[in-house]
Amino acid sequence: MAMLPTCADLGKSARDIFTKGYGFGLIKLDLKTNSENGLEFTSSASANTRTTKVKDSLETKYKYRWADHGLMFTEKWNNDNTIGTEITMEE
C-alpha cells in the first residue's frame, strides 16, 4: 500500500496570521509614488479600531533640479502638525 505524502505546509496560511506580525484592530496603509519630474512621495497611515486614533505622515523628496549639484530636499509632515525639512548634499 502506498503511503500518502505529509504536507508540512498544510494550514500554513492560517498559522501565518498569528506569526507574521499581523495586528488585530490595526489598519495600516503605505503608499509610494514618483512623478515624472523627479519628486518622490511617500505616505503612510495607520488607524487603531479600538481607540479610533489615526496616525499619518507624508514625506516628499525633491531631487530633480538639484541632482546635478548633489542636493536633495526632504520634507516630512504628520498629523501632529510637525513639519521637518532635511537638506542632503552629496559630494
Side-chain angles (χ1 to χ4, degrees):
M1 178 176 214
M3 292 192 64
L4 295 173
T6 60
C7 299
D9 288 341
L10 187 63
K12 182 179 182 311
S13 297
R15 280 193 309 271
D16 284 349
I17 291 174
F18 300 107
T19 60
K20 294 288 184 179
Y22 294 103
F24 297 102
L26 183 67
I27 301 169
K28 188 171 182 182
L29 176 67
D30 293 317
L31 302 170
K32 187 173 184 179
T33 187
N34 297 321
S35 68
E36 291 179 4
N37 62 356
L39 295 176
E40 182 179 307
F41 297 97
T42 305
S43 181
S44 64
S46 63
N48 189 330
T49 58
R50 292 183 195 139
T51 62
T52 66
K53 290 187 179 180
V54 176
K55 292 182 182 179
D56 60 349
S57 65
L58 175 66
E59 181 176 315
T60 308
K61 289 185 182 180
Y62 305 94
K63 52 185 169 180
Y64 174 65
R65 294 183 183 164
W66 303 285
D68 297 337
H69 304 290
L71 289 175
M72 182 172 63
F73 293 89
T74 304
E75 293 180 352
K76 298 178 184 179
W77 173 84
N78 62 25
N79 65 329
D80 293 333
N81 285 331
T82 304
I83 298 173
T85 302
E86 180 181 316
I87 301 172
T88 308
M89 182 176 201
E90 297 177 6
E91 294 183 32

